Amino acid sequence: MKKEKKGFTLVELLAVITILGILTMIAVPNVLSTINNNRKNAFLMDAKRMVSKASELIAQNKSDREMAKTASGKTYSYADLNGKGEFTTDSDGQSYDTANTYVKVTLVSNTYKYCIKVTGSKRNIKASDGSCIDSSELKGIEVVKDN
């Protein structure tokens, strides 16, 4: 009687492990990049919502609109923008830097300009050209990941 061998040889197991290792080396950086891009986009969406909130606040308050006409403008702090707790954590799951997160609104030539600074635990938003933005769009804005 001939005995049947069951199982895999060492060479077959090593081949499978090698293939899995190569696939992992390819997949992991792509997954991490996708996660980082999603967090960056979520952070940018929070910034857009903060500008939208500032736009809403300026529309609701006449004294704020008058302040926006001055050279110093009207600055809404993180506390002003986060009235209902919409911005409790940043896209990395940490708290926003409350001292360095604000939206400054000024009225220039009958157009509201929004200067925004949003600082999270690992990222921040800054105007790439150092200027303010028109209406509620974040033109010229980039998200920077702090290392």
Side-chain angles (χ1 to χ4, degrees):
M1 260 196 195
K2 192 174 181 185
K3 265 188 163 179
E4 283 189 37
K5 290 184 178 178
K6 292 186 179 182
F8 299 103
T9 66
L10 182 59
V11 172
E12 291 170 329
L13 289 173
L14 287 174
V16 169
I17 290 170
T18 301
I19 291 169
L20 288 174
I22 291 169
L23 290 173
T24 301
M25 286 176 20
I26 293 169
V28 168
N30 289 333
V31 168
L32 293 176
S33 176
T34 300
I35 290 170
N36 187 47
N37 285 339
N38 287 340
R39 287 181 177 167
K40 179 177 158 183
N41 290 337
F43 193 80
L44 192 55
M45 283 304 297
D46 273 358
K48 288 180 180 180
R49 288 178 35 227
M50 286 180 189
V51 169
S52 179
K53 180 70 174 178
S55 177
E56 183 182 307
L57 290 170
I58 203 87
Q60 291 174 353
N61 193 321
K62 184 177 180 182
S63 65
D64 288 357
R65 288 193 301 275
E66 293 300 319
M67 250 181 154
K69 293 177 183 177
T70 66
S72 59
K74 169 61 181 165
T75 300
Y76 292 105
S77 68
Y78 172 83
D80 298 330
L81 300 169
N82 195 33
K84 295 180 183 173
E86 298 111 309
F87 311 109
T88 54
T89 59
D90 65 15
S91 59
D92 294 299
Q94 304 297 318
S95 296
Y96 281 103
D97 181 351
T98 57
N100 290 305
T101 298
Y102 59 84
V103 177
K104 178 181 165 188
V105 184
T106 54
L107 184 63
V108 180
S109 302
N110 292 326
T111 302
Y112 285 109
K113 302 269 187 183
Y114 299 86
C115 297
I116 183 168
K117 182 175 182 185
V118 182
T119 305
S121 59
K122 297 179 182 175
R123 301 165 208 280
N124 62 61
I125 294 234
K126 65 176 187 173
S128 56
D129 59 358
S131 65
C132 298
I133 53 176
D134 291 333
S135 40
S136 293
E137 297 178 29
L138 294 175
K139 295 179 181 174
I141 298 294
E142 61 181 293
V143 177
V144 179
K145 184 170 183 185
D146 295 333
N147 292 326

